Amino acid sequence: MAGAGGAMLTVLSIGYPFAPVTADPAGGAEQILAHVDRALVAAGHRSIVVAPQGSHVAGELRTIPAVDGEIDAAARTRVHGAVRDRIADELRGAPIDVIHYHGLDFGVYFAAAALPQLATLHLPIAWYAEAALRSGARLLPVSRDEAARAPAGLTLLPPIENGVDLDRYRPARSKSDYALALGRVAPIKGFHDAIAATRRAGVRLLMAGRLYPYPEHRRYFAAQVAPALDDWHRWIGAVAGHAKAQLIAGARCLLVPSTAPETSSLVAMEALASGTPVIAYRSGALPEVVEDGVTGFIVDDADSMGDAIARVDTIDPAACRAAAEARFSAARMTAEYLRLYERLAA
C-alpha cells in the first residue's frame, strides 16, 4: 500500500447519483463506497468521489446536483448528464488508475476511457441493463448467490463479501421486547409481512427506514404500511448513527422479509455484530448471511416468520457476534478492495 512504500493509487468512485454518500448513509451501496473511500485515504491513496450535493467523504468530493422532489425521467436525464460531465472533467486532470462504479445505472454514464473500470454489483444482476453488463467494466458480485445468477458467457470477478463496522455495532447488555424491521421503503422489502408476522407472534414491532421520493414507494407506504400502524406496530422513520446502533442492539430480533433476490444484507450483518438474531426470507444471498438455527432462522413466508419469532430465544447472541467477527468485518472487505485496485492498476 502507499503508506508502506507502494505506489499511490488514484481511484475515481462514482456513487449512485440519487443517494448521498455520508459517514452513515441509508443505502447499502453508499455504505460500501464510504468504507472504501475512508480506507483509501487511510492507506495514503487518493480517493475522488462523484456524489450528490449533501455528501461527505474522506477523500475529494465532486458534487452533482441533488434532486429536490420526485425522481422522474427528466430528473434522471439531467443528473446522468451531470455525472458524465464530472467524469470527463476528472479524466482531463491528473491520471486516474481505476474508475469504480457503484450505481445500478452505471451503463448510462460509463466512460469511454482506456483504463481499468470496475462496477460493484450491489443489486441483483438481473436488474442491470444488458448494455451495462457488456460495457467492458470488470463486474464484481458481493455474494456467491449473485455470481451464480450471472447470464451465460458473462465473466465476473471473484466476489468480495460486504462488511460492517464491528466497533460501531456491538451487543447490548440486555434486550428489549420488540422485533425490528429496518430498510428502505419498497414493496419488495416486505414491511407488510413483518407486520403480519409480529401480529401472529404477539410481539411489538418497530419499523425504521427512509422513504425515497419514488412514486411507487410512496404508494406502497400509504396503502400497506400506514393503515396498519398502531401502538404495537410503530413506524419511526429514518435512523442513523448511535441511535440506529442502539435500536439494533436492543431488538429481540431483526426481521428481513425481503422478496428480492438480495445480493447481501448489511442490516443483517449489523444485527449479527450487535448480537441480535436475524429471521429472514429465503431470498438471494440471505441464507449465506444467516446460518439457520445458529444465528437466526431462514423462513418462507409471514406465518413461518411469526413462528420463528417465538423460537428466537434459542439463538445465542454470542454466536451471532462471533459470526460477524469471523466473516463480516469492514476492515476485511476494504483490504480486499485495495488489493483488487492494485491488481487492476498493475
Side-chain angles (χ1 to χ4, degrees):
M1 296 192 302
M8 185 183 83
L9 297 175
T10 298
V11 177
L12 175 61
S13 297
I14 315 299
Y16 179 57
F18 302 98
V21 176
T22 63
D24 188 19
E30 291 72 49
Q31 288 188 46
I32 302 306
L33 194 165
H35 279 304
V36 175
D37 165 61
R38 290 194 294 269
L40 281 165
V41 172
H45 299 298
R46 186 182 183 200
S47 173
I48 305 171
V49 178
V50 175
Q53 292 169 341
S55 297
H56 302 279
V57 302
E60 304 169 34
L61 178 63
R62 305 290 189 261
T63 60
I64 57 173
V67 175
D68 183 17
E70 187 173 302
I71 302 174
D72 55 15
R76 291 180 186 277
T77 298
R78 182 173 66 254
V79 169
H80 287 156
V83 176
R84 285 191 290 269
D85 290 345
R86 275 300 192 187
I87 295 173
D89 289 344
E90 295 306 317
L91 291 177
R92 284 191 290 266
I96 303 295
D97 293 298
V98 179
I99 301 178
H100 188 175
Y101 300 96
H102 290 266
L104 174 67
D105 52 0
F106 77 89
V108 179
Y109 41 80
F110 185 77
L115 76 163
Q117 301 192 60
L118 172 69
T120 295
L121 303 177
H122 295 285
L123 295 172
I125 197 166
W127 295 7
Y128 290 82
E130 180 73 9
L133 297 177
R134 308 290 178 179
S135 64
R138 310 288 183 89
L139 303 175
L140 179 67
V142 297
S143 62
R144 298 187 304 274
D145 180 87
E146 183 179 29
R149 295 172 185 267
L154 192 67
T155 300
L156 305 182
L157 294 167
I160 293 181
E161 196 168 29
N162 288 338
V164 298
D165 186 343
L166 297 181
D167 290 328
R168 170 175 288 183
Y169 297 98
R170 290 186 171 277
R173 292 183 179 179
S174 61
K175 293 288 187 184
S176 296
D177 64 347
Y178 60 87
L180 175 66
L182 176 62
R184 64 184 174 87
V185 178
I188 57 174
K189 293 301 183 180
F191 283 103
H192 57 289
D193 278 0
I195 293 169
T198 49
R199 280 186 174 153
R200 179 180 178 89
V203 301
R204 291 196 305 140
L205 174 65
L206 295 182
M207 294 173 283
R210 187 173 299 280
L211 178 56
Y212 286 98
Y214 297 104
E216 63 272 24
H217 294 184
R218 289 177 169 174
R219 287 194 297 268
Y220 165 71
F221 184 83
Q224 297 197 53
V225 179
L229 300 181
D230 54 32
D231 290 343
W232 275 63
H233 304 85
R234 293 177 51 210
W235 180 264
I236 60 176
V239 292
H242 183 62
K244 176 185 173 185
Q246 283 189 312
L247 189 69
I248 294 174
R252 180 178 181 181
C253 58
L254 175 77
L255 306 181
V256 188
S258 174
T259 57
E262 296 287 353
T263 60
S264 180
S265 177
L266 286 171
V267 69
M269 296 174 186
E270 292 164 351
L272 298 181
S274 306
T276 298
V278 180
I279 305 174
Y281 278 3
R282 199 182 309 275
S283 299
L286 288 172
E288 291 181 34
V289 178
V290 181
E291 187 176 355
D292 188 53
V294 177
T295 61
F297 298 106
I298 297 296
V299 298
D300 295 303
D301 53 33
D303 285 350
S304 55
M305 179 168 277
D307 294 341
I309 293 171
R311 297 183 287 124
V312 79
D313 290 343
T314 64
I315 301 298
D316 183 1
C320 299
R321 175 68 187 186
E325 290 176 349
R327 294 184 53 201
F328 303 133
S329 162
R332 181 272 310 157
M333 174 191 68
T334 56
E336 291 186 40
Y337 270 106
L338 266 58
R339 287 194 293 268
L340 176 58
Y341 291 148
E342 290 166 355
R343 291 198 300 272
L344 292 177

